[in-house]
Amino acid sequence: MWRGTHLTLNALAVIRGERPLIGGLSVDLSGGDAVALVGPNGSGKTSLLRVLAGLAEPAAGTISLQVDGVSADTPRAAMVHLGGHLDGLKGALTVAENLAFWVRYFGAGPGALSAPDALETLGIGHALNLPAAVLSQGQKRRVALARLLVAPRPVWLLDEPTAALDVASAARFTELVEAHRSQGGIVVAATHAPLALQTLKTLDLATYPPRGPDSEPGEAEGLATALSGDEYWLEGRSA
Amino acid sequence: MSEQAGPFRALVARDLRLSLRVGGGALTGVLFFLAVITTVPFGVGPDLNLLARIGPAIMWIAALLATLIGLERLFQSDRDDGALDLLRLTDAPLSSFIIAKVVAHWLGASLPLVLATPVLSLLLALEPLAIAALTATLLVGTPALSFLGAVGAALAVTLRRGALLMAVIILPFSIPVLIFGVAATRAAVTEPDPFWPPFALLGAVSLIYAVVGTVGAAAAIRINDG
């Protein structure tokens, strides 16, 4: 569905408040890649996802996201989905109303599933006309994930996507991620739980400590070894 | 509304729907307005002339406070459930999001006050011309309060108990709206005071606050939620 998806981070530094979290992060992702962001609590996983989504500015470095057929002027925020800790559902509205709002707000686009189909895919088709307030935590999370299907976007930025999901739902989620990758999308997920994805790359934020602008150029070589798995997606950039 | 409706209309429609649902803010403001207007005559006593003289001021103060009641949660509810981040994931500028929120709030909370004014004014012994003038000034002036409140709501978005802070920030800036609104209403029934100059100034204040409020609220959201 998407061609030529490229997400490039160049010497990215992330600061939350006054506290530097990440420094010198250079990564080149293309369509089909899936990355698991790991690191201890407070290592900057959520902050990095917010920066990638365009909600916060990086302290240094650049991010570029290109998708064939999408104007280069399109802000990054309009090309990504962010799945946060919170599900963004309005309890007073039904599940159908919640999803219908996001479809209208984001625009459905090509390849979009209808709300009932998306919910069925996630195994909660029966919840369509229930108020979101009565759903359990796991059901709410699945409705939030349905948002990714009713308004397709090339890049998924997910924060603990499988938290609160049971084993069967987590397996369904894995299938969705694989389907998204096979359509040329990119998935970046911050997670503590292991994800059973094929050729999953792991990015350990603990290996990108914040550093000053006058850091040694030799540090860039260390980046490649910090990444486990294949390196086909990584272009080691020396500073 | 069709699926092609833009994000702006989608957001306005969603917020309106939320405000009209159980627990939404629309009814709270109207009930507060109603409570103030119905109790004042009992407090003031049976002096109809006095009531008619202070009536416009009472109505304006009640409208101001009723507007503030619902505004505190304008952005906070979206922030609490995570929707605020998601709402920012569009190619539209943040200011259009702010305007959509304010428009929805005004339609859901302030417009009912304006519509209720002609009826409630009877309780304050206002004459027909004053009622017409009062309704017109509320129609023109309440958007200023909504945009002003948006700045306060955006500044207080990360605070648990931001209502008091918001009121302290906003009230001084709401004084011009109050002054011109009441002055125009009074001038409508008092010879030889002209109605139009204060009314035009009220409109000007509304337009200025619409711009300043939008820019200010967007900046506050960016700082608080960046």
Side-chain angles (χ1 to χ4, degrees):
Chain A
M1 181 154 44
W2 290 288
R3 295 181 185 283
T5 314
H6 273 287
L7 177 62
T8 309
L9 321 183
N10 190 10
L12 198 69
V14 175
I15 289 180
R16 178 174 164 78
E18 300 286 305
R19 201 161 79 89
L21 292 169
I22 301 169
L25 177 60
S26 296
V27 165
D28 196 1
L29 300 174
S30 53
D33 283 334
V35 180
L37 292 180
V38 298
N41 295 124
S43 58
K45 300 189 289 292
T46 301
S47 299
L48 176 59
L49 289 178
R50 288 176 59 84
V51 168
L52 291 181
L55 295 177
E57 289 297 315
T62 55
I63 305 168
S64 80
L65 173 58
Q66 286 148 8
V67 181
D68 283 1
V70 178
S71 156
D73 297 334
T74 309
R76 203 163 61 250
M79 291 193 272
V80 306
H81 264 306
L82 183 66
H85 301 288
L86 302 164
D87 297 317
L89 299 178
K90 292 294 173 196
L93 302 181
T94 66
V95 168
E97 287 171 331
N98 269 295
L99 287 178
F101 164 69
W102 289 115
V103 169
R104 273 176 24 206
Y105 193 79
F106 285 147
L113 293 184
S114 70
D117 288 348
L119 291 172
E120 209 59 64
T121 308
L122 284 148
I124 41 166
H126 59 278
L128 186 65
N129 290 313
L130 293 177
V134 306
L135 300 184
S136 76
Q137 201 59 45
Q139 289 173 318
K140 281 182 188 165
R141 176 49 54 95
R142 282 188 272 167
V143 174
L145 290 172
R147 195 182 63 236
L148 310 182
L149 305 178
V150 295
R153 288 181 168 192
V155 178
W156 290 1
L157 307 169
L158 306 172
D159 201 351
E160 298 289 355
T162 53
L165 291 188
D166 57 32
V167 177
S169 303
R172 274 202 202 92
F173 165 73
T174 307
E175 287 167 21
L176 293 180
V177 170
E178 294 294 2
H180 180 63
R181 294 170 68 187
S182 69
Q183 289 170 337
I186 293 175
V187 178
V188 180
T191 181
H192 289 293
L195 295 174
L197 296 173
Q198 295 164 16
T199 63
L200 175 74
K201 306 300 171 292
T202 303
L203 190 54
D204 188 348
L205 293 184
T207 55
Y208 297 95
R211 53 183 185 171
D214 54 349
S215 60
E216 296 294 315
E219 278 181 55
E221 270 81 27
L223 303 187
T225 56
L227 296 153
S228 60
D230 297 332
E231 288 171 20
Y232 72 90
W233 55 281
L234 176 83
E235 293 176 8
R237 289 168 186 277
S238 31
Chain B
M1 206 177 285
S2 73
E3 293 221 335
Q4 280 76 41
F8 187 90
R9 280 170 63 186
L11 185 55
V12 171
R14 185 205 69 164
D15 271 22
L16 259 183
R17 186 176 290 187
L18 278 172
S19 71
L20 297 174
R21 287 278 157 94
V22 176
L27 204 58
T28 320
V30 178
L31 283 178
F32 178 85
F33 195 59
L34 183 70
V36 173
I37 305 304
T38 47
T39 47
V40 162
F42 294 103
V44 169
D47 186 344
L48 285 184
N49 288 331
L50 175 64
L51 208 51
R53 208 160 66 240
I54 64 172
I58 302 286
M59 294 287 277
W60 256 100
I61 292 170
L64 168 65
L65 297 179
T67 306
L68 287 186
I69 282 181
L71 268 172
E72 177 212 352
R73 307 234 349 124
L74 185 63
F75 302 116
Q76 206 175 43
S77 57
D78 277 332
R79 188 177 193 277
D80 287 348
D81 61 21
L84 184 57
D85 282 347
L86 306 178
L87 289 169
R88 290 176 59 191
L89 296 180
T90 64
D91 49 7
L94 193 51
S95 48
S96 77
F97 157 75
I98 304 278
I99 294 173
K101 294 288 290 181
V102 172
V103 166
H105 176 271
W106 186 82
L107 288 175
S110 298
L111 189 58
L113 302 187
V114 176
L115 296 178
T117 297
V119 180
L120 295 178
S121 298
L122 297 174
L123 294 171
L124 298 176
L126 297 190
E127 51 185 282
L129 189 58
I131 293 176
L134 181 61
T135 310
T137 55
L138 281 173
L139 185 69
V140 171
T142 44
L145 300 179
S146 292
F147 276 106
L148 190 55
V151 181
L155 284 171
V157 71
T158 52
L159 304 176
R160 276 302 108 201
R161 302 239 176 264
L164 185 63
L165 176 69
M166 202 191 103
V168 170
I169 296 171
I170 286 179
L171 277 176
F173 295 98
S174 63
I175 301 292
V177 184
L178 204 58
I179 290 174
F180 292 127
V182 176
T185 311
R186 187 162 295 153
V189 287
T190 316
E191 292 296 334
D193 296 353
F195 168 76
W196 289 105
F199 188 74
L201 280 168
L202 182 68
V205 170
S206 262
L207 291 174
I208 290 169
Y209 280 4
V211 177
V212 175
T214 303
V215 174
I221 289 279
R222 223 175 262 122
I223 292 167
N224 270 330
D225 203 50

